[in-house]
Amino acid sequence: MRERREYAEPFKIKAVESIQLIPRDMRLQAISDAGYNVFNLPSEAVYVDLLTDSGTSAMSDRQWSVLMHGDEAYAGSTSYRRLREVVEEVFGYPYVAPTHQGRAAEHILMTMLVKPGDRVLGNMHFDTTQGHILLKDAEPVDLVFPEGLDPQAELPFKGNIDLAALERELGEHAAGRQRVPFVLITVTCNNNGGQPVSMANIRDASRLARQYGVPVFFDAARFAENCYFVREREPGYAAKSVAEIAREMFSYGAGCTMSAKKDGLVNIGGFLAFRDEATYRQAVQWQIVFEGFATYGGLAGRDLEAMAQGLREVLSPEYLENRIGQVSYLAERLDELGVPRVRPAGGHGVYVDARPMLPQVEPGRFPGQAVVTALYEEGGVRAVELGSLAFARRDAKTGETIYPPNELVRLAIPRRVYTDRHMDHVARTMGLVMKRRHELRGLRLLSEAPVLRHFTARLEPLP
Ligand code: F0G
């Protein structure tokens, strides 16, 4: 599949932020002090920070300027109205409840609609989504088609739902609608590599769900990247604008949760949006207790302004070409070094496949985390493990550890922040890790929290 294309730089730099690569001995000390967990590193000890693409975007001059228009009224803010108009224009959903970030929108949606014993179906639920479903004593069910989990399968839409599995689940559980409150489609699918979902798959999944009277919602965090891939890869969409594609995509759903920290191009913010007023009214009840009044939802008026402006900018074809192009650029540099990775490259980053890279390190010794710590040691690059450290869980019945299907290392690229020279540094650093890879023995846990342990765990390298 064609990943790399020529792309222009559709912006120049107006403000700069200093970063430095601290000396190697200091990096070794910093990662040791951090308990070999990059979440514990002070950010000034990081040179190129690819921990996440969330909340790390550079805002545009337009976004900075609209901050001054923020209306900080507690109720009836004009900034809220501007956000509502843009969301309706982009998503086609007229009812909008702002939240402080994506997981807050999930919190409200799950509180409204999920009951104990329910099965929430989706392609792949993000970890906070899973967490909110589990907190309701319900079951998050991932139905991504099997090749979606094969890092080597070079397919255009690896975020697609397995429609046969969806039909089976709906047939078995949706009778009476007690057991499947909704289907949640995550675009793009973060957990398996930022992989897009095709329009055809969304259309078919939504038709199936409708047959069973089950609504479809989207986790829209990276919707623009998904829509760009539809235009590039799906027959019949090359002549459409990304905005038109987005309108079609959301027309198949009843609403969405949004982490605007990704494709809203802001540092904080999110929302819920609905087609239907009654559902929105229900959401507002919870929004007010969890987040804040209906017209600010835990955000400042200026944040609402920046989010509205960001949602307009993210659909620019030049921006998206550059964005996806940069991800492919890094992927290509890693290919030159023979680094195993998820294919094709995703929308928001490159996912390195740690299992073939470190075959000597078994899942219980966290091969992904071994690559993550080596990347920091070799070049001050901060990546994140999406493997056994993040996702292994103990079976409630047998007590056995269930390992995730893959041991991945995500190099998530913040939007509009780094140049391709930063990407060259990342690739060079990965080259140094490749040279050292046979020496890496993995790590062992010293302490862990009962849920989402990767954020706070402390580890030590095995000798
Ligand atoms: N949905 C998806 C697909 C996500 O990737 C995230 C966050 C959320 C929901 C939650 O949104 O952070 O605004 O509360 N992903 C970040 C990441 C943290 O690094 O991938 P949030």
Side-chain angles (χ1 to χ4, degrees):
M1 183 174 319
R2 191 181 70 122
E3 287 187 3
R4 176 94 163 89
R5 61 190 64 78
E6 288 309 310
Y7 53 96
E9 299 287 3
F11 33 72
K12 58 182 177 175
I13 296 163
K14 189 176 298 224
V16 296
E17 179 180 348
S18 298
I19 51 174
Q20 58 165 336
L21 179 59
I22 60 171
R24 188 185 164 85
D25 58 333
M26 285 174 72
R27 299 198 297 270
L28 296 182
Q29 189 61 48
I31 193 72
S32 163
D33 292 346
Y36 295 88
N37 182 344
V38 290
F39 283 98
N40 296 331
L41 284 172
S43 76
E44 70 268 24
V46 176
Y47 181 46
V48 178
D49 200 350
L50 306 186
L51 183 69
T52 180
D53 63 318
S54 180
T56 51
S57 302
M59 292 211 297
S60 67
D61 50 355
R62 295 257 167 115
Q63 284 178 295
W64 282 106
S65 71
V66 297
L67 293 181
M68 280 307 290
H69 299 287
D71 175 359
E72 306 302 342
Y74 191 95
S77 160
T78 53
S79 302
Y80 168 72
R81 288 210 295 281
R82 263 192 288 278
L83 174 69
R84 198 175 55 68
E85 279 163 22
V86 174
V87 171
E88 183 167 10
E89 176 189 310
V90 172
F91 297 77
Y93 301 143
Y95 300 102
V96 182
T99 59
H100 77 279
Q101 59 183 78
R103 67 198 68 183
E106 293 161 12
H107 185 199
I108 293 169
L109 189 73
M110 304 311 165
T111 305
M112 286 163 61
L113 300 179
V114 179
K115 303 271 173 298
D118 280 356
R119 292 170 76 76
V120 181
L121 313 180
N123 47 348
M124 268 182 116
H125 300 295
F126 180 67
D127 49 6
T128 55
T129 321
Q130 271 181 26
H132 280 298
I133 296 168
L134 291 168
L135 281 171
K136 297 285 172 246
D137 288 322
E139 180 92 17
V141 183
D142 287 352
L143 300 173
V144 71
F145 76 120
E147 292 89 335
L149 297 176
D150 173 1
Q152 295 309 317
E154 184 106 28
L155 295 167
F157 293 106
K158 288 172 78 176
N160 279 1
I161 291 197
D162 181 336
L163 294 168
L166 177 66
E167 184 153 31
R168 209 174 320 118
E169 278 281 343
L170 287 166
E172 272 174 36
H173 300 289
R177 258 197 75 178
Q178 296 96 327
R179 307 229 38 211
V180 180
F182 53 85
V183 174
L184 184 70
I185 306 179
T186 301
V187 290
T188 59
C189 187
N190 184 2
N191 295 20
N192 71 342
Q195 300 292 329
V197 185
S198 74
M199 193 72 86
N201 190 256
I202 291 170
R203 197 184 304 125
D204 292 346
S206 122
R207 191 181 303 132
L208 270 176
R210 200 165 40 242
Q211 279 168 19
Y212 289 89
V214 172
V216 167
F217 287 94
F218 290 93
D219 175 337
R222 299 181 180 87
F223 77 99
E225 290 166 5
N226 198 106
C227 292
Y228 180 81
F229 282 126
V230 166
R231 201 182 71 169
E232 289 289 294
R233 298 179 182 173
E234 190 159 351
Y237 287 93
K240 296 213 156 94
S241 72
V242 185
E244 285 170 317
I245 294 171
R247 280 299 284 261
E248 181 185 342
M249 187 167 87
F250 291 110
S251 77
Y252 299 119
C256 67
T257 59
M258 176 72 188
S259 168
K261 299 173 74 172
K262 286 82 166 171
D263 277 350
L265 297 175
V266 285
N267 305 117
I268 196 72
F271 56 83
L272 280 155
F274 301 100
R275 184 181 304 291
D276 161 57
E277 184 173 358
T279 323
Y280 164 71
R281 293 277 158 227
Q282 216 183 328
V284 170
Q285 299 305 310
W286 296 108
Q287 182 196 19
I288 292 171
V289 282
F290 293 153
E291 292 291 290
F293 185 68
T295 57
Y296 75 89
L299 293 167
R302 57 180 171 271
D303 298 328
L304 304 174
E305 293 283 350
M307 191 154 61
Q309 176 62 26
L311 288 170
R312 288 219 168 92
E313 292 177 13
V314 81
L315 293 171
S316 144
E318 293 78 22
Y319 159 76
L320 283 167
E321 178 99 344
N322 174 272
R323 165 74 178 153
I324 306 293
Q326 185 174 52
V327 175
S328 308
Y329 175 84
L330 176 60
E332 199 178 66
R333 298 282 81 76
L334 298 184
D335 285 351
E336 287 162 7
L337 299 162
V339 178
R341 66 169 174 96
V342 173
R343 297 183 168 278
H348 64 292
V350 181
Y351 288 54
V352 170
D353 191 354
R355 192 172 284 161
M357 189 167 160
L358 306 185
Q360 73 277 18
V361 181
E362 54 200 65
R365 297 182 163 190
F366 311 117
Q369 191 63 9
V371 173
V372 168
T373 53
L375 272 170
Y376 178 72
E377 290 170 355
E378 295 305 326
V381 173
R382 178 155 69 169
V384 74
E385 193 254 17
L386 294 179
S388 291
L389 184 60
F391 299 129
R393 60 189 177 103
R394 219 179 298 282
D395 187 290
K397 288 185 202 112
T398 65
E400 260 175 68
T401 305
I402 307 171
Y403 291 103
N406 291 303
E407 299 291 338
L408 303 179
V409 171
R410 184 182 74 172
L411 301 163
I413 306 180
R415 295 169 181 78
R416 308 191 291 205
V417 170
Y418 292 118
T419 67
D420 289 356
R421 293 201 60 191
H422 291 109
M423 297 303 116
D424 292 338
H425 172 82
V426 173
R428 259 195 316 278
T429 303
M430 188 60 91
L432 297 173
V433 176
M434 284 295 276
K435 286 208 185 96
R436 247 183 82 188
R437 69 186 163 134
H438 299 296
E439 298 159 21
L440 299 174
R441 293 283 162 266
L443 302 104
R444 98 184 161 86
L445 274 168
L446 296 176
S447 65
E448 61 178 305
V451 283
L452 297 180
R453 67 176 178 185
H454 53 296
F455 291 116
T456 53
R458 295 188 74 82
L459 304 102
E460 70 178 10
L462 288 159

